[in-house]
Amino acid sequence: MTQYPRACGIDFGTSNSTVGWLGPDAGVLVALEDGRRTLPSAVFFNADEDSVSFGRAAMGEYLEGYEGRLMRALKSLLGTGLMDGHTEVNGRALGFRDLLARFIGELKDRAECASGRTFDHAVFGRPVHFVDDDVVADRKAQDTLEAIARQVGFRELSFQFEPIGAALHYERSLSREELVLIADIGGGTADFSIVRLSPERARAAERREDLLGNAGIHIGGTDFDRALSLECVMPVLGYRSRMRSGAEMPASVYFQLAAWHTINFAYTRQVWADLQQIYRDAIARTELDRLCRLINLREGHWLALQVEQAKIALSASAHTRVDLERLEPGLALALSRAAFTAATQGLVERVGACVAGLLSAAGVDRARIDTIYFTGGASGVPQLRARIAAELPAARSVEGDLYGSIGAGLAVEAARRYG
């Protein structure tokens, strides 16, 4: 009887999550929702039906207008002070650790159901840095994720850098040796690895000598959403408008609304009271009316979705249109890729500097890199991809499975580590 691996690989992502397993079928990634291999990292607590839904179903219930609380970008909580705190969900206190445990437990249950077996061993992917320039906070983030994984039933688990997971997946397609820069740019982080890959090297149990360097920075797709939102969308809600006193409109509420994991903080009584006070001295009353309507109707997640869709559209086209009808009849916003590029220039340069720093620290001549392997949903942003490629003009660019490479590679690693 064929012995299939007893362990799975889990890519718990900021935007989407996957589970990989080298089972009897050709596909490595497990179907997690309606036959799809990804499960959006979202949870919706439905107050109307007193139920909890996950992934696309969570997003769907929220958009259908059910009363409740939507939570996205859950991974962004790791390494922050919020992780040990609580939030209110439908009148009850919910710890953020418990929130992550619910989602990861659901991920495990769905993978087991689809595979017809129990997984108590796993290799989890992790970014090169959960937290930039803070070794203690970074270690605490991994320890927290490990504790949560054990809480939901994993007895044995270990971690692998996410770009290495992508490298192991790409390696299975090679017929000759390559020196590869793995560019993994997901929802929350941009991670890079320089790796020697080949069919022969893939057979080795120890690959330490093939890894020439790792680097990462806490910039990902949600940061591009945030920059696009603040620079191009929030001004129609009064961002950077002036008060009668000459001061600029306080910005804290706009920053809260521009990031998935802080949107709900904009709905507190204190924020509403502050807005009423600010309104009396505001010049841009029309814009402030839109902001008040958005907060009163709790449409922050809806707006974030419009911005995210605009980012995706501008990654493929030169222009797009954002429908803001919910805030004001007939309101729409025309956006261009040029504006998107300008809004994200600082982020792009920081990512480019990270790649340049990695090449310098690894002592690798740029001309030696054969391939840039792009994975992660945010690696499809044109200006970002072009900036990375500019560091390695002689290398060819290969686009992997943007949402599945890491989970598939972690499945390979899980089978190697646990048998």
Side-chain angles (χ1 to χ4, degrees):
M1 182 180 295
T2 301
Q3 295 296 311
Y4 297 112
R6 59 179 177 168
C8 64
I10 295 183
D11 177 22
F12 169 45
T14 301
S15 300
N16 293 279
S17 296
T18 62
V19 178
W21 177 54
L22 299 183
D25 299 322
V28 176
L29 294 180
V30 176
L32 296 173
E33 185 177 23
D34 298 330
R36 301 182 187 184
R37 304 175 306 162
T38 58
L39 182 68
S41 303
V43 183
F44 182 62
F45 296 89
N46 189 319
D48 290 337
E49 300 187 355
D50 194 23
S51 61
V52 181
S53 56
F54 302 85
R56 293 172 189 84
M59 303 292 289
E61 289 186 19
Y62 171 77
L63 291 174
E64 286 173 20
Y66 284 96
E67 191 69 28
R69 180 81 179 270
L70 177 69
M71 309 288 282
R72 275 195 77 185
L74 310 178
K75 187 178 179 181
S76 299
L77 295 165
L78 291 168
T80 73
L82 293 174
M83 198 65 243
D84 295 319
H86 295 74
T87 187
E88 183 179 316
V89 175
N90 301 337
R92 296 185 292 269
L94 174 69
F96 287 114
R97 284 176 180 260
D98 294 331
L99 172 65
L100 264 66
R102 284 202 184 204
F103 182 80
I104 293 172
E106 182 71 14
L107 202 59
K108 181 177 185 290
D109 291 345
R110 291 188 183 207
E112 291 176 339
C113 182
S115 304
R117 60 161 302 137
T118 299
F119 292 119
D120 56 8
H121 291 59
V123 174
F124 275 73
R126 60 149 292 164
V128 174
H129 302 298
F130 278 108
V131 182
D132 294 339
D133 303 320
D134 191 332
V135 175
V136 174
D138 186 82
R139 182 66 204 185
K140 183 178 180 181
Q142 178 175 306
D143 289 346
T144 299
L145 182 55
E146 179 174 351
I148 290 169
R150 293 188 183 281
Q151 177 184 333
V152 301
F154 289 106
R155 291 192 299 108
E156 295 290 336
L157 69 141
S158 54
F159 291 88
Q160 178 58 277
F161 289 134
E162 289 159 357
I164 298 301
L168 295 173
H169 175 64
Y170 175 56
E171 188 172 47
R172 301 181 86 195
S173 69
L174 295 181
S175 58
R176 62 179 181 83
E177 182 168 312
E178 292 185 9
L179 186 60
V180 183
L181 173 72
I182 305 294
D184 166 30
I185 309 166
T189 58
D191 293 321
F192 304 94
S193 294
I194 302 174
V195 197
R196 290 192 191 95
L197 302 174
S198 74
E200 293 74 28
R201 292 178 184 276
R203 302 188 188 103
E206 177 54 59
R207 302 295 301 275
R208 189 171 302 174
E209 292 183 358
D210 295 332
L211 176 61
L212 304 188
N214 277 322
I217 187 169
H218 208 75
I219 292 174
T222 55
D223 297 285
F224 282 79
D225 295 343
R226 181 173 180 268
L228 180 62
S229 180
L230 288 171
E231 293 301 316
C232 299
V233 180
M234 290 298 170
V236 304
L237 304 181
Y239 178 54
R240 288 183 175 163
S241 62
R242 291 287 172 179
M243 313 287 285
R244 288 193 176 89
S245 64
E248 192 172 276
M249 174 75 179
S252 59
V253 68
Y254 299 104
F255 281 88
Q256 289 169 341
L257 291 168
W260 281 101
H261 64 288
T262 57
I263 287 172
N264 287 294
F265 297 149
Y267 302 148
T268 64
R269 291 188 182 91
Q270 185 61 55
V271 168
W272 186 252
D274 291 343
L275 274 179
Q276 305 314 300
Q277 184 68 31
I278 290 167
Y279 192 89
R280 298 187 184 97
D281 190 36
I283 295 173
R285 291 288 183 89
T286 298
E287 288 80 1
L288 264 291
D289 285 339
R290 295 167 185 159
L291 175 63
C292 290
R293 178 173 176 78
L294 179 138
I295 291 175
N296 189 45
L297 296 177
R298 300 199 170 199
E299 294 283 20
H301 290 94
W302 166 80
L303 182 62
L305 278 171
Q306 307 316 300
V307 174
E308 183 181 39
Q309 290 303 310
K311 174 195 69 177
I312 294 169
L314 291 172
S315 294
S317 305
H319 299 277
T320 193
R321 180 178 179 276
V322 181
D323 183 354
L324 300 175
E325 183 82 22
R326 291 194 188 186
L327 303 183
E328 180 182 299
L331 182 64
L333 188 61
L335 298 180
S336 68
R337 181 182 290 176
F340 179 36
T341 299
T344 57
Q345 183 177 357
L347 297 173
V348 168
E349 286 304 317
R350 287 172 62 194
V351 173
C354 180
V355 173
L358 169 60
L359 292 166
S360 177
V364 175
D365 188 328
R366 284 166 164 75
R368 290 179 55 205
I369 303 291
D370 299 299
T371 303
I372 307 171
Y373 182 75
F374 288 101
T375 188
S379 71
V381 174
Q383 63 267 32
L384 183 57
R385 185 174 291 200
R387 178 64 182 83
I388 294 168
E391 291 291 331
L392 300 165
R396 69 187 184 115
S397 293
V398 173
E399 181 177 291
D401 182 338
L402 296 188
Y403 299 99
S405 294
I406 296 171
L410 293 173
V412 174
E413 185 75 347
R416 185 186 70 79
R417 291 186 183 185
Y418 298 114

